[in-house]
Amino acid sequence: MSFGLYAYAITRDSAIDLIGPSLIRHRGLALVVADVDLDRFTGLELDEPAEDGPLAVLVREHDAVVRAVFEQEPVLPLRFGTVLDGTDAARRLLDARHEEASAWLGRVAGRREWGLRLRTAAREQVDLDQVSGTAYLALRRQRLTAAEDARHAAATVHQTLAQKVAESTRREHVGDVLLEAAYLVDTDAEEDFHAEVRRLTGELGLPAEITGPWPPYSFTRVEFSDA
């Protein structure tokens, strides 16, 4: 076995109750770490389909620790698989990233991430065998117009929500998904945020899926690239 120091997240140097991981403290910051057997990361398949496979287990463990910190203090989740040589390396990196990490912690303090996915409304099934050529072309034009209207509606939802939150980001989406986005919302504004989501999607007739609250995975970019 070979061991390393696995880094989960950066947070403030405070009294955090964690079972398992520990904190390396330096200049007001703390790195959440645990000793890890590096053999667990050998041969992992990034496209592993199994929900109970080795990669999935490790990812859930990572998220569980980040969430445990998130429930107590602002947190900057680190990239999955960040491993350091030891305590001295951790302190050097905290020192090198001190200004950056402190600024990010200030930005996410008192805020939580919420995800929003908008899909196209289900189409009415049509028996094309019973439709004439002219009617088929009209139906196709109608569907193309509806699809364009739905894309504009999703864009309107995102633009409106983005103006009411601290930060927002859109992700790549495929298939019937019109919008895949994340929003960093002040905790005291979450009720208004959800009410606005319901209002907008209801008025526009867009099926919506809301996920969260999450640690600010989509809004922190501190990485130990030289780890």
Side-chain angles (χ1 to χ4, degrees):
M1 291 185 182
S2 57
F3 288 87
L5 196 63
Y6 188 92
Y8 295 94
I10 300 173
T11 186
R12 292 170 176 168
D13 182 356
S14 62
I16 298 177
D17 184 20
L18 294 174
I19 300 176
S22 59
L23 300 180
I24 295 177
R25 307 172 190 273
H26 184 67
R27 295 177 59 196
L29 299 178
L31 187 65
V32 184
V33 300
D35 290 325
V36 63
D37 179 3
L38 299 181
D39 291 342
R40 295 186 68 193
F41 294 87
T42 302
L44 292 176
E45 298 291 339
L46 297 182
D47 57 350
E48 169 188 272
E51 294 185 0
D52 57 350
L55 177 61
V57 170
L58 288 169
V59 170
R60 284 197 295 271
E61 289 177 2
H62 181 101
D63 180 63
V65 173
V66 171
R67 282 180 171 276
V69 179
F70 173 61
E71 291 173 358
Q72 302 173 66
E73 286 286 345
V75 64
L76 307 181
L78 294 177
R79 183 184 68 245
F80 171 76
T82 299
V83 179
L84 307 176
D85 288 338
T87 301
D88 290 342
R91 289 201 175 97
R92 286 196 301 271
L93 288 167
L94 279 178
D95 193 64
R97 302 293 196 281
H98 186 272
E99 184 176 348
E100 179 186 8
S102 298
W104 276 107
L105 284 169
R107 290 173 71 171
V108 302
R111 294 166 173 165
R112 304 195 294 183
E113 178 176 328
W114 292 88
L116 175 63
R117 179 182 296 114
L118 300 181
R119 297 182 183 274
T120 55
R123 291 179 177 178
E124 181 181 353
Q125 295 299 314
V126 175
D127 184 357
L128 296 180
D129 292 336
Q130 305 300 318
V131 175
S132 68
T134 301
Y136 169 77
L137 291 176
L139 177 63
R140 179 172 173 77
R141 285 194 297 269
Q142 180 183 16
R143 286 184 170 178
L144 289 173
T145 299
E148 185 64 22
D149 289 346
R151 285 192 290 271
H152 283 303
T156 297
V157 170
H158 179 65
Q159 291 167 4
T160 303
L161 292 176
Q163 295 172 1
K164 298 179 178 295
V165 300
E167 294 188 46
S168 64
T169 184
R170 296 185 65 166
R171 306 186 183 111
E172 293 290 334
H173 56 271
V174 296
D176 65 343
V177 176
L178 297 168
L179 175 69
E180 186 85 39
Y183 304 91
L184 189 64
V185 186
D186 290 351
T187 53
D188 59 3
E190 289 179 341
E191 186 175 341
D192 291 340
F193 171 77
H194 287 286
E196 188 70 351
V197 171
R198 291 192 297 270
R199 182 186 72 81
L200 289 168
T201 57
E203 289 179 354
L204 296 170
L206 294 174
E209 302 170 28
I210 300 177
T211 62
W214 303 97
Y217 283 115
S218 301
F219 302 98
T220 54
R221 302 177 181 87
V222 178
E223 290 193 2
F224 288 169
S225 58
D226 49 352

